[in-house]
Amino acid sequence: MPTSHLTLPIALDAMGGDNAPEAIIRGAYQALLRHPGLKFLLFGNEQAIQPLLTKLPKLEQAAKIVHTDMFVAMDAKPSQALRRGKGTSMWMAIDAVKQGQAFGVVSAGNTGALMAMSKMLLKTLPGISRPAIAALFPTVKGECVILDLGANIENTPQDLFYFAVMGNAFARAVLGLNRPKIGLLNVGAEDIKGHEGLKQAAKLLTNTPIGLDFRGFVEGNHIPMGDVDVVVTDGFTGNVALKMAEGTARLIRTYIRGAFTAGPISRLAAWLASAQLRGVKHKLDERKRNGAMFVGLGGIAVKSHGSADAFSFCNAISVTVELAAHNINEKIITEMHKLSDMDLTDTLKDKA
Amino acid sequence: MPTSHLTLPIALDAMGGDNAPEAIIRGAYQALLRHPGLKFLLFGNEQAIQPLLTKLPKLEQAAKIVHTDMFVAMDAKPSQALRRGKGTSMWMAIDAVKQGQAFGVVSAGNTGALMAMSKMLLKTLPGISRPAIAALFPTVKGECVILDLGANIENTPQDLFYFAVMGNAFARAVLGLNRPKIGLLNVGAEDIKGHEGLKQAAKLLTNTPIGLDFRGFVEGNHIPMGDVDVVVTDGFTGNVALKMAEGTARLIRTYIRGAFTAGPISRLAAWLASAQLRGVKHKLDERKRNGAMFVGLGGIAVKSHGSADAFSFCNAISVTVELAAHNINEKIITEMHKLSDMDLTDTLKDKA
């Protein structure tokens, strides 16, 4: 991804995550190799960060440390983090985006705190009342976008509609699709299935003036088959589905590992197929898809897995670069502008 | 599983499912080989069933055809099937359980119709207002029970509590566990996470007089890791999670197939490891775990996948045999009896 028109640096919460600051700094270094020209603002404890930077002179040249002694604990309650969080590495990194000093922020810290602070500092985009967490998921055809993955626990039909608008922009930006296929996650593909709220959301998506390519309801098994490019769901269901998929992939890795260490012939086979097995492992590597965006906010905020290592964190940085380089928020704002004359409540009434 | 004390036959809806009646009859034959002594009532079109039976004399001896011309269409609406379904193969098969002529019923037909008819004919067990769909899922440690998988779209805390009681009985019956570990599916393991209804269900499960081994909240990724033996969730989330896992397994099979056909050396490796790869394939074979029980009804009703082949349908029969042989409903009734003095509403008020 060209970073040439990203003149601003990226803001990193160098103290967030289980492996901070090491994984953050080494992840930033990997990201610099991948995106030459990228610049970094590193928020956190200078005494902890500087020795790591000294070992990576290339990164040291591209980075600036903004010192703070304070950071948000991984188990802090979001409400507490919000009240007392000013001056923490997370807060300052988000604030750099707000102040126009960075094109986006990445943190591997406390998810709830990151969401709460991002909402407070970056505000939601015009017309969006609830941001969502969006991320990529592998499919037999490539990748799809799923949202919401847990920013919200319950959602209205209107929320789901806006998630589709934002997911559409995300897929256009990150997957390079012209007109992404959009599906609404349900327990059956038939129109009669599911909650009333889902049926209402389907009505809204069928009657949009922005011409979304809405394909109706999809079921859980359709996601990995790549039936649609954007999967829209409430945050509870999305979170459970994604984690269930991660757990299933881990289960299967356990089976495969067991199969290929079962005896000398299996081990020989594993050796012969090692490149191919590595390929499968690579495709399943969750770290590759690390980096979930808080879509709907007035700035790009990306959450990395808390347990991210350097490779994983580097990928979260890459997602942020892609989202910024493809102007995801401008895309969302344009769509929302087209929708501004549309009264969702009226649409629901008309079609009831 | 010994079928010696199952003196009654099993009732099969011979016309339900995409591959009926062939898959049903050949599945019954496989089940007979697996459970010698098992007897069958086959409900459906005699002209279609008899020629298949004639080819399988062993099964012919153990089976009796109960003729009907009518069957429930796979796309029938449950309400219509209920109004006009009397006399269909599905209805008659369920009715055989009600009349005490069969120890359980299996159908690969229309899920909604099967649930509606089973509820009407078999009624719910005392104290249970909503039945649930329960099935097994593979874990690194063996298998776990998940419920509800889609009988309900929304559930109260009380429903979830009773799902746990029924799942507990299911795990004791089918997994042979003495005291199954029970988890409530949520988006985080912390007490503060999730809807209010989930927190209330957790309260009820913590304060039960029947000594359930409740382990609190579990996340989607904990299911395949085998952290608990019984996963309790609402029907919407459970359905999406299970299907997402199925789709993910299919995605990974696609990756593996691709890896082992990529070139001559990979093919040699696949040949050397063929027994092991078959082992993995077998572990992932959804057909092995075919057969979801409608728990909470006054009779054993099991739903097979609509697309079941003979092997798959045979496994749905096996589940039914196991559930009957282990008296699952007696186990649920005993627990419900112990709970009869417990006022769930009071418990929620006390701990609010």
Side-chain angles (χ1 to χ4, degrees):
Chain A
M1 179 49 45
T3 55
S4 50
H5 76 289
L6 295 175
T7 47
L8 291 174
I10 188 167
L12 304 183
D13 170 10
M15 310 312 283
D18 303 334
N19 307 313
E22 290 79 3
I24 311 306
I25 303 306
R26 285 192 290 114
Y29 177 68
Q30 290 185 23
L32 177 62
L33 301 182
R34 200 185 284 179
H35 310 279
L38 193 59
K39 287 184 285 297
F40 300 85
L41 285 179
L42 306 173
F43 294 84
N45 190 313
E46 189 162 11
Q47 288 89 317
I49 299 168
Q50 185 55 53
L52 296 165
L53 272 193
T54 307
K55 288 188 220 152
L56 303 165
K58 248 189 187 165
L59 178 63
E60 194 175 19
Q61 281 184 9
K64 196 181 147 220
I65 302 173
V66 184
H67 175 76
T68 171
D69 276 334
M70 292 191 289
F71 61 95
V72 177
M74 290 303 273
D75 58 352
K77 286 198 179 178
S79 53
Q80 287 183 351
L82 207 55
R83 271 199 309 277
R84 303 180 203 155
K86 207 174 167 177
T88 58
S89 58
M90 184 185 279
W91 179 287
M92 290 169 73
I94 302 166
D95 197 48
V97 177
K98 184 188 175 184
Q99 305 299 337
Q101 293 157 357
F103 67 78
V105 52
V106 188
S107 174
N110 186 316
T111 309
L114 185 63
M115 178 52 100
M117 286 182 185
S118 299
K119 262 169 99 166
M120 172 175 271
L121 290 170
L122 303 176
K123 306 278 187 283
T124 52
L125 288 173
I128 303 285
S129 61
R130 291 186 179 211
I133 300 178
L136 296 175
F137 189 82
T139 75
V140 290
K141 297 176 186 165
E143 282 173 321
C144 68
V145 178
I146 312 187
L147 74 170
D148 174 28
L149 294 171
N152 310 277
I153 289 300
E154 280 166 304
N155 293 110
T156 64
Q158 287 82 350
D159 292 335
L160 294 172
F161 173 78
Y162 290 123
F163 292 174
V165 173
M166 298 191 290
N168 187 57
F170 192 106
R172 287 170 62 207
V174 178
L175 301 179
L177 299 169
N178 196 20
R179 200 155 174 263
K181 295 192 282 287
I182 298 172
L184 200 53
L185 190 57
N186 200 344
V187 294
E190 305 87 2
D191 288 349
I192 53 159
K193 294 274 176 110
H195 320 125
E196 194 45 41
L198 277 176
K199 293 176 201 167
Q200 294 195 337
K203 268 181 206 159
L204 291 174
L205 286 165
T206 311
N207 295 287
T208 147
I210 55 170
L212 295 175
D213 188 6
F214 177 56
R215 300 293 178 108
F217 294 134
V218 291
E219 297 180 70
N221 49 330
H222 300 154
I223 300 174
M225 294 302 107
D227 287 9
V228 292
D229 306 305
V230 179
V231 178
V232 176
T233 184
D234 67 276
F236 188 89
T237 310
N239 186 287
V240 168
L242 188 79
K243 286 181 180 163
M244 184 74 168
E246 287 177 2
T248 303
R250 206 165 300 155
L251 172 71
I252 297 173
R253 278 204 299 274
T254 311
Y255 288 165
I256 294 174
R257 201 179 306 124
F260 282 103
T261 50
I265 295 175
S266 318
R267 276 194 216 104
L268 171 63
W271 179 75
L272 285 172
S274 52
Q276 310 298 339
L277 285 172
R278 264 200 307 278
V280 172
K281 199 179 162 191
H282 183 65
K283 280 185 178 170
L284 291 176
D285 192 344
E286 291 157 20
R287 299 180 305 161
K288 259 179 58 188
R289 280 171 295 275
N290 185 33
M293 183 185 177
F294 292 166
V295 285
L297 295 177
I300 298 176
V302 167
K303 169 70 174 86
S304 155
H305 260 288
S307 62
D309 62 10
F311 172 67
S312 183
F313 197 80
C314 166
N315 289 316
I317 294 176
S318 278
V319 166
T320 317
V321 168
E322 297 239 19
L323 290 164
H326 287 100
N327 302 311
I328 179 163
N329 275 0
E330 280 69 12
K331 285 191 169 68
I332 296 174
I333 291 167
T334 307
E335 303 284 49
M336 291 301 294
H337 194 74
K338 287 187 218 157
L339 286 168
S340 62
D341 299 331
M342 181 183 176
D343 187 326
L344 297 186
T345 318
D346 275 2
T347 306
L348 285 180
K349 267 187 219 144
D350 290 351
K351 311 281 158 188
Chain B
M1 178 51 44
T3 55
S4 50
H5 77 290
L6 295 175
T7 48
L8 291 174
I10 188 167
L12 304 184
D13 170 10
M15 309 312 282
D18 303 333
N19 307 312
E22 291 79 5
I24 311 304
I25 304 304
R26 285 192 289 113
Y29 176 68
Q30 290 186 23
L32 179 61
L33 300 182
R34 200 185 284 179
H35 309 280
L38 193 58
K39 287 184 284 297
F40 301 86
L41 285 179
L42 307 172
F43 293 85
N45 189 312
E46 188 162 13
Q47 289 89 315
I49 299 169
Q50 185 55 54
L52 297 164
L53 272 192
T54 307
K55 288 187 220 153
L56 302 164
K58 249 191 186 163
L59 177 63
E60 194 174 19
Q61 282 185 9
K64 198 183 144 219
I65 302 175
V66 184
H67 175 76
T68 172
D69 277 334
M70 293 190 289
F71 60 94
V72 177
M74 289 304 273
D75 58 353
K77 285 198 181 179
S79 54
Q80 288 182 352
L82 207 54
R83 272 200 307 277
R84 304 179 202 155
K86 206 173 169 178
T88 58
S89 58
M90 186 185 279
W91 179 289
M92 290 168 73
I94 302 166
D95 198 46
V97 177
K98 184 188 175 184
Q99 305 299 337
Q101 293 156 359
F103 67 77
V105 52
V106 189
S107 174
N110 185 313
T111 310
L114 185 65
M115 178 51 101
M117 287 183 185
S118 299
K119 260 170 100 166
M120 170 175 272
L121 290 170
L122 303 176
K123 306 279 189 280
T124 52
L125 288 173
I128 303 284
S129 62
R130 294 188 177 208
I133 301 178
L136 295 176
F137 189 82
T139 75
V140 290
K141 296 177 187 163
E143 283 173 321
C144 69
V145 178
I146 311 188
L147 75 171
D148 174 28
L149 294 171
N152 311 277
I153 289 297
E154 282 167 301
N155 293 111
T156 64
Q158 287 83 351
D159 291 336
L160 294 172
F161 173 77
Y162 289 123
F163 292 173
V165 173
M166 298 191 290
N168 187 57
F170 192 106
R172 286 171 61 208
V174 177
L175 302 179
L177 298 169
N178 196 22
R179 200 154 174 264
K181 295 192 282 284
I182 297 171
L184 200 53
L185 191 57
N186 200 344
V187 294
E190 306 85 2
D191 288 348
I192 53 157
K193 293 275 177 108
H195 321 123
E196 193 47 41
L198 277 176
K199 293 177 203 166
Q200 293 195 336
K203 268 181 207 161
L204 291 173
L205 285 165
T206 312
N207 295 287
T208 148
I210 56 171
L212 296 174
D213 188 7
F214 177 57
R215 300 293 178 107
F217 294 134
V218 290
E219 297 180 70
N221 50 330
H222 300 153
I223 300 174
M225 294 302 106
D227 287 8
V228 293
D229 306 305
V230 178
V231 178
V232 176
T233 184
D234 67 277
F236 188 89
T237 310
N239 187 287
V240 168
L242 189 78
K243 286 180 180 163
M244 183 74 167
E246 286 177 3
T248 303
R250 206 165 300 153
L251 171 71
I252 297 174
R253 279 204 299 275
T254 310
Y255 287 165
I256 293 173
R257 200 179 308 123
F260 281 102
T261 50
I265 295 176
S266 317
R267 278 193 214 103
L268 171 63
W271 179 75
L272 284 172
S274 53
Q276 310 299 338
L277 285 172
R278 266 200 307 278
V280 172
K281 200 179 162 192
H282 183 66
K283 280 185 178 169
L284 291 177
D285 192 345
E286 291 158 19
R287 299 179 304 160
K288 260 178 56 188
R289 280 171 295 275
N290 185 32
M293 181 185 179
F294 292 166
V295 287
L297 296 177
I300 297 176
V302 167
K303 169 71 174 84
S304 156
H305 260 289
S307 62
D309 63 8
F311 172 67
S312 182
F313 197 80
C314 165
N315 289 316
I317 294 176
S318 277
V319 166
T320 317
V321 168
E322 298 237 19
L323 290 164
H326 287 100
N327 301 312
I328 179 164
N329 275 359
E330 281 70 11
K331 284 191 169 69
I332 295 173
I333 291 166
T334 308
E335 303 284 49
M336 291 301 294
H337 195 73
K338 286 188 217 156
L339 287 167
S340 61
D341 299 330
M342 183 185 176
D343 187 326
L344 297 185
T345 318
D346 275 2
T347 306
L348 286 181
K349 269 188 219 142
D350 290 352
K351 311 280 158 187

